[in-house]
Amino acid sequence: MSEDGNGNGTGGDLGSRVRAAQARRRRHAGGDGQDGDDRRETGRGIAFAFRLGTELVAGLIVGVGGGLLLDRWLDSGPWLMVVGFILGSAAGILNVYRTVEGAERARRGRGGN
Amino acid sequence: MAEGGHSPLSQFEIHPIIPIEIGGTDISFTNSSMFMLIALVLISVFLIGGMRRNALVPGRWQVAAEMSYEFIAGLLRDTVGSEGRKYFPIVFTIFMFVLFGNLLGMVPYSFTFTSHIIVTFAMAAVVFIGVTILGFAKHGFHFFTFFVPPGVSVALWPLLIPIEIISYLSRPISLSVRLFANMLAGHTLLKVFAGFVFALSFAGVVPLAFIVALTGLEILIAFLQAYVFTILTCLYINDALHLH
């Protein structure tokens, strides 16, 4: 980005307009301009929490669903569903663990924070 | 609108616009297909129109088009590395399609095709099957070592391998359920609160204010879910290319 931003063809002195908008925003947010970032951070947190929930449930769905299908196919009573439930729970927890591990690695990779 | 037009869920109904039936299979052109088509047209207009002038110093439109391109290119570079560049077209297509689907749903009276699990599941299945084929093409039968956790004694394999396989199979389900549930819940919530506005007469200002805030949140979620769908696609590609 050039300092003056004059050559963009949309008119106006872009640089000074950006500075004015930033100053206005700082005043709005009470000093440090963290307001918008904060809200975005909250949204990302909600999305991440929801992601963990679906990871957990998805493991269970596959485990129990697969168990039920195998039960119907092999006519083996509820037993494979029970096994599928246990393995599915384990897979769900494994999913959650992997997701958090990956997020943690990404956060550390970005340099603390 | 048909009967039950006041239900918060009637917005998700699918109506055929041009009924087509081939061999007993209903493949009508529905409102869902129409909005997918609108999304495709809008994406094409956005990208082609933005790059039409192809100026060295871009205008606002061109900056927006370039930003979306660079955002996904950067995402792919960070998660997969330079080998991921080959898969940019599919990842970018998925991102734009989901994003425009989510955002189109925020237009009043429109239809949100990403709020149907069959749509999101079809996309997740394409990603899942594609990534699995990619893994086999790249590593052959060596790909099966992906299901063996490293550094675990052989005695635990019979227990851990099924868990790993279930975990792998649950990927398309978590991918599709997340997007679908977010869209379905958000749009239903909006409609439910919109019903309160009318029912409460003057006090309806309160839910109305809430809807305004919720609309902002929904737009944020529309972006976030498109982002999450895309980054998980990148992560799965990375897993298939590098195994563990």
Side-chain angles (χ1 to χ4, degrees), chain A residues 36-79:
Chain A
D37 286 351
D38 243 25
R39 212 173 307 150
R40 214 170 308 142
E41 205 57 44
T42 310
R44 209 168 291 157
I46 293 172
F48 188 66
F50 202 87
R51 208 179 127 189
L52 293 181
T54 48
E55 293 288 357
L56 190 63
V57 173
L60 262 180
I61 291 176
V62 173
V64 174
L68 277 175
L69 284 179
L70 283 177
D71 266 343
R72 190 180 296 173
W73 182 43
L74 300 171
D75 205 21
S76 55
W79 298 112

Side-chain angles (χ1 to χ4, degrees), chain B:
Chain B
M1 231 175 239
E3 239 184 64
H6 296 299
S7 156
L9 294 178
S10 65
Q11 58 175 323
F12 301 118
E13 277 168 17
I14 288 182
H15 320 280
I17 294 175
I18 305 168
I20 306 169
E21 202 176 307
I22 292 178
T25 313
D26 189 8
I27 53 161
S28 305
F29 187 80
T30 61
N31 51 350
S32 180
S33 353
M34 189 178 77
F35 274 95
M36 288 185 204
L37 205 60
I38 293 176
L40 285 187
V41 171
L42 283 181
I43 293 166
S44 309
V45 167
F46 173 64
L47 291 175
I48 297 170
M51 297 312 291
R52 185 189 30 148
R53 298 230 331 265
N54 201 7
L56 193 62
V57 181
R60 283 176 188 149
W61 193 358
Q62 192 181 334
V63 165
E66 282 178 358
M67 248 171 68
S68 55
Y69 177 96
E70 268 161 26
F71 177 61
I72 298 304
L75 199 65
L76 205 53
R77 199 169 42 238
D78 289 345
T79 49
V80 188
S82 56
E83 297 154 78
R85 236 179 286 167
K86 266 187 283 184
Y87 311 104
F88 177 79
I90 176 83
V91 174
F92 188 60
T93 309
I94 287 173
F95 175 73
M96 292 307 267
F97 191 61
V98 174
L99 178 65
F100 273 67
N102 293 350
L103 286 179
L104 263 180
M106 292 311 295
V107 178
Y109 294 102
S110 71
F111 179 86
T112 325
F113 60 77
T114 44
S115 67
H116 277 262
I117 186 138
I118 189 64
V119 175
T120 59
F121 187 74
M123 285 192 286
V126 167
V127 169
F128 177 74
I129 293 170
V131 161
T132 308
I133 291 173
L134 179 67
F136 274 113
K138 179 105 175 159
H139 301 284
F141 285 103
H142 194 64
F143 181 66
F144 284 116
T145 60
F146 184 66
F147 298 117
V148 183
V152 173
S153 80
V154 182
L156 282 173
W157 282 12
L159 184 64
L160 288 177
I161 290 175
I163 293 177
E164 289 284 344
I165 290 174
I166 291 176
S167 165
Y168 187 71
L169 290 178
S170 72
R171 280 172 170 191
I173 294 183
S174 71
L175 196 58
S176 56
V177 165
R178 181 168 33 244
L179 177 59
F180 140 81
N182 264 293
M183 290 299 124
L184 187 79
H187 285 264
T188 310
L189 200 62
L190 275 178
K191 282 284 152 74
V192 168
F193 272 90
F196 290 163
V197 175
F198 193 68
L200 291 178
S201 69
F202 286 116
V205 189
V206 180
L208 185 65
F210 194 76
I211 289 174
V212 173
L214 211 56
T215 306
L217 184 72
E218 275 303 303
I219 291 174
L220 182 74
I221 286 177
F223 274 100
L224 270 174
Q225 288 306 319
Y227 169 75
V228 168
F229 200 99
T230 315
I231 197 165
L232 285 177
T233 305
C234 294
L235 285 177
Y236 294 163
I237 291 175
N238 181 43
D239 276 349
L241 288 180
H242 300 122
L243 301 181
H244 291 298

